[in-house]
Amino acid sequence: MAHTPLLDPRRAACPDYSSEAYAACRNTLIQGGMEEAAAVEFLVKMWETQNVADIAIWDAREAERQAATAENDRIRREAEAAAEAMRVQEIEAADKEERKKNRAKFLPIGDGRVPDTMPIIVPAAITAKLRAGHRVDLWHYTNAGLLHASADLDAESNRAGSFVAAPDGTVEFRPTLAAASSRAVIQDRDLSMEDFMVATYRLLAAMKEAGWPKDRVRMFADFWNNINNHPRRVSRDPRDVRALLLYQDEQRTQWHNITASATGATYDLSVINEVRLDEAFRTICTAGYDREIR
């Protein structure tokens, strides 16, 4: 086992081997045939040789200790950096979740002034359906529907609700008040022609904002324009107008159902099918509708 110095050998001083303390060491060498001066010199050389060896051992041990200290420091710094990175990620994730749940809270303030007209606000569920390309009732874009949505929005902060995932991946707050809104909806077929015209104009703008393809927006624009310009539109018989609205309701619903089916087939809705329109008129002429019109 190699000798390991306990103190720095560079600070050690060579003993005085000519002193009385080392007489026994010298006598041993003298008895072996050495002169006293030669014995002293031999002892000094032996000490110097051992001191050089001790210095080498000491330096190697110090290098190992410093390397171990440096490695421990590196591991500690990496652990602290990893912990800090994890903390930052947790903060960012919490902030991202907060922004999803309360999107309106973090919207940037625009440079525009107060708008001259009231904004078109529909329930979040309707906007989500429109973004997904689904059918929505025209009533939501009538004056009555917008007033109803505005009243609901004012009351939302005082009503219970839950957070639900929207189709685009964001999280929206869905108030329980939405159930009351759904009960207030009037079917397309039961709208007035005036409400129908206003709602289709607004819905076309909403389709564009929701990212609907241009050809699809154009098809619906032509469809509703052909409904409005059909000869039955100016008929003196109110059943003709009701038949147009019923036809619009049925055909728009059917078109969305077919395009969403497994076949994925589609067709141009804008061309009025007079056979189906006559069927809608005959439906209007049934007792229930006829009594309502009178």
Side-chain angles (χ1 to χ4, degrees):
M1 183 175 181
H3 166 71
T4 302
L6 300 178
L7 300 175
D8 187 352
R10 288 186 176 83
R11 298 181 179 181
C14 182
D16 183 6
Y17 288 109
S18 63
S19 67
E20 187 63 28
Y22 293 95
C25 294
R26 292 194 306 272
N27 289 334
T28 300
L29 295 174
I30 291 171
Q31 290 175 2
M34 280 189 181
E35 297 290 336
E36 184 171 356
V40 172
E41 183 179 357
F42 176 80
L43 291 173
V44 170
K45 291 294 184 181
M46 289 290 293
W47 182 91
E48 290 176 348
T49 301
Q50 184 63 48
N51 184 253
V52 171
D54 288 347
I55 289 174
I57 295 173
W58 180 272
D59 289 346
R61 189 179 64 180
E62 281 297 299
E64 292 177 357
R65 185 186 63 79
Q66 292 175 6
T69 301
E71 179 65 12
N72 291 336
D73 289 343
R74 184 189 65 80
I75 294 174
R76 176 182 54 79
R77 288 193 301 269
E78 289 183 354
E80 291 175 351
E84 177 64 16
M86 181 64 70
R87 187 183 70 85
V88 171
Q89 286 182 348
E90 290 175 352
I91 293 175
E92 291 177 349
D95 181 69
K96 185 177 181 181
E97 187 67 19
E98 171 71 9
R99 289 177 180 274
K100 282 184 178 181
K101 289 182 178 180
N102 303 300
R103 185 177 62 86
K105 175 182 175 181
F106 297 97
L107 287 176
I109 299 176
D111 298 329
R113 60 184 180 85
V114 176
D116 296 330
T117 58
M118 290 293 292
I120 296 178
I121 300 176
V122 297
I126 301 303
T127 301
K129 287 181 65 177
L130 202 60
R131 286 176 181 169
H134 299 318
R135 178 193 182 280
V136 296
D137 291 299
L138 289 172
W139 175 84
H140 294 289
Y141 294 89
T142 64
N143 291 335
L146 295 179
L147 286 173
H148 199 287
S150 179
D152 286 358
L153 189 62
D154 291 339
E156 278 183 9
S157 59
N158 297 322
R159 297 295 183 96
S162 60
F163 292 101
V164 296
D168 60 358
T170 61
V171 177
E172 298 176 344
F173 179 75
R174 194 69 53 78
T176 53
L177 195 60
S181 298
S182 63
R183 290 193 294 270
V185 174
I186 297 175
Q187 290 184 299
D188 290 3
R189 65 190 65 188
D190 296 325
L191 294 174
S192 68
M193 184 56 73
E194 290 73 17
D195 280 342
F196 167 79
M197 293 174 61
V198 170
T200 55
Y201 173 79
R202 290 171 176 163
L203 182 52
L204 284 172
M207 287 175 174
K208 294 178 182 178
E209 186 176 350
W212 282 40
K214 291 182 180 180
D215 59 343
R216 186 162 294 193
V217 175
R218 169 53 57 188
M219 181 194 71
F220 275 99
D222 292 342
F223 173 55
W224 288 324
N225 185 61
N226 291 338
I227 291 288
N228 188 51
N229 291 316
H230 194 276
R232 290 180 186 265
R233 172 72 177 82
V234 293
S235 171
R236 293 184 179 181
D237 189 343
R239 293 176 298 181
D240 281 320
V241 175
R242 305 307 301 176
L244 286 170
L245 292 172
L246 176 60
Y247 173 86
Q248 186 279 153
D249 192 348
E250 291 179 338
Q251 297 311 309
R252 190 162 71 96
T253 300
Q254 175 179 283
W255 187 90
H256 277 283
N257 289 341
I258 291 177
T259 55
S261 65
T263 61
T266 185
Y267 52 89
D268 186 357
L269 182 65
S270 64
V271 180
I272 304 299
N273 186 317
E274 296 296 336
V275 174
R276 299 295 298 273
L277 180 57
D278 289 341
E279 293 177 359
F281 182 79
R282 288 193 292 272
T283 300
I284 293 297
C285 290
T286 58
Y289 274 101
D290 196 34
R291 183 169 57 253
E292 179 185 342
I293 292 173
R294 288 200 302 270

